Amino acid sequence: MATTSQAPPEARTDTAGTSRLRRLHEAGAAPFFVLAALVVAVGAYDSSFFQAASLIALLEQAAPLTLLAIGEALVVLTGRIDLSNAGLASLAGVALAHGLGSWGPAAVALVVVGAALCGTLIGVIHITTQVPSFIITLGFLGIFAGLSLTTSRADSILVTDGYGSIEWIFYRIFGLPISYLLVLLAALALMAWMKALPIGRRIRAIGLNERAAAHSGIRTRGIVIGVFTASATLAGLAAVFQVARLQSAGATTSDALLLPAIAAVIVGGTAISGGIGGVGRTLCGALVIALLRVGLDLVGVNAAFQPILYGGIVIMAIAATANRRRGASVA
């Protein structure tokens, strides 16, 4: 008579708990609970956090990070990753700082279009060579870093001439920062676009099973190139926001946002293996990371140690929510 082996009760409990956490994460509820808990914790530590000035400052700081995170989420939804978007934002910021004095508002358009073309190039190379996106974007991260250092001469560039063309981005309407309102509009437009048009389902289908998506008639190559282009375009916009906020640009101005942006995507409920997640969740995840940065500053955690925490968050979030029954690999 055949016997069926059963796992110990502790193992079954642990598996059930992990499964529930994964389902909560995939449903998109987890980041909202985390955000609420962080708001309560930071407010309890420092009651001045609930003042309007503190909340507005939080939203202003979150704007560039959110743009980078949304672009990263679009790439991750296809089962890939973009390690170059923060480096591209730094390079775009340096280019914008140089161009504003001569070109004015046209420099903004040129920088964003140039960033989009860089993303298209990354996507085309990835698709045609079939080299994993991790390797391709890591290589371009080095290229962008080198170009940024060369163009800026490893120094910070103060923007004076032409600054009025972008200064308005950090003005406020009815007390709310225009910068974050623009991010919200962009996020809502992307959410509506992905929900109303077939492209949203196709992006997720590629992330879930690219081979099956291709056999069903989806033009996977064009869509993959498109998400890299979108990520780079949002990186260009993030550069504009950074320069507007700091009135300067440097070779590494946005580099430190790479790990927080990836953390925002994962914490927001987008599966690293692709197919599950979305822009709205990433919006919440970016607020979680931005609020965490504020909380760490309040309690006096040295900024040099904060990337350690972001890296730990990414590892723990993936370990707790990954569906190990899926054999999909990230290209």
Side-chain angles (χ1 to χ4, degrees):
M1 180 176 176
T3 58
T4 304
S5 61
Q6 293 185 353
E10 319 72 57
R12 291 200 301 271
T13 301
D14 180 67
T15 302
T18 303
S19 178
R20 283 194 294 270
L21 179 59
R22 185 172 63 245
R23 287 197 297 268
L24 184 68
H25 188 69
E26 291 176 355
F32 294 97
F33 287 119
V34 174
L35 181 60
L38 277 175
V39 168
V40 172
V42 174
Y45 185 84
D46 186 353
S47 59
S48 66
F49 170 73
F50 291 113
Q51 295 178 0
S54 298
L55 295 174
I56 290 171
L58 171 67
L59 295 179
E60 288 177 340
Q61 292 177 24
L65 170 64
T66 304
L67 288 171
L68 287 173
I70 291 173
E72 188 72 58
L74 294 174
V75 175
V76 171
L77 276 172
T78 66
R80 291 161 171 83
I81 195 164
D82 185 0
L83 299 179
S84 66
N85 63 351
L88 177 57
S90 294
L91 176 59
V94 170
L96 182 64
H98 279 304
L100 276 173
S102 302
W103 297 91
V108 175
L110 289 172
V111 163
V112 173
V113 171
L117 291 175
C118 288
T120 302
L121 177 62
I122 291 171
V124 168
I125 293 176
H126 165 58
I127 286 296
T128 55
T129 63
Q130 290 298 299
V131 175
S133 59
F134 178 89
I135 302 298
I136 295 292
T137 57
L138 184 62
F140 269 95
L141 174 62
I143 293 171
F144 295 148
L147 289 174
S148 297
L149 285 167
T150 303
T151 308
S152 66
R153 298 180 180 177
D155 197 6
S156 181
I157 304 169
L158 180 65
V159 179
T160 52
D161 296 338
Y163 179 63
S165 302
I166 58 174
E167 184 182 14
W168 60 271
I169 292 174
F170 278 85
Y171 289 165
R172 294 170 184 175
I173 299 177
F174 303 114
L176 296 175
I178 293 177
S179 58
Y180 199 75
L181 291 176
L182 291 174
V183 170
L184 279 179
L185 284 175
L188 290 173
L190 274 172
M191 289 167 64
W193 178 63
M194 291 187 68
K195 187 175 181 61
L197 299 177
I199 187 67
R201 295 189 298 274
R202 291 171 182 171
I203 289 175
R204 291 185 174 89
I206 291 172
L208 290 170
N209 192 324
E210 185 167 353
R211 188 182 298 275
H215 287 167
S216 68
I218 295 175
R219 296 181 178 178
T220 59
R221 298 166 71 92
I223 291 175
V224 170
I225 293 172
V227 295
F228 277 106
T229 302
S231 177
T233 302
L234 290 170
L237 289 173
V240 176
F241 280 43
Q242 285 280 68
V243 174
R245 185 168 72 92
L246 302 174
Q247 199 179 347
S248 64
T252 60
T253 299
S254 299
D255 288 9
L257 295 179
L258 174 59
L259 191 52
I262 295 174
V265 173
I266 304 303
V267 170
T270 297
I272 194 66
S273 55
I276 297 171
V279 174
R281 301 182 186 190
T282 304
L283 195 65
C284 184
L287 281 177
V288 168
I289 298 301
L291 183 54
L292 183 62
R293 298 177 80 183
V294 170
L296 292 174
D297 290 337
L298 283 176
V299 301
V301 176
N302 192 310
F305 293 101
Q306 293 183 17
I308 299 174
L309 182 60
Y310 301 139
I313 288 172
V314 171
I315 293 171
M316 289 187 294
I318 293 174
T321 60
N323 189 343
R324 293 169 180 80
R325 291 172 299 179
R326 284 185 59 185
S329 61
V330 179

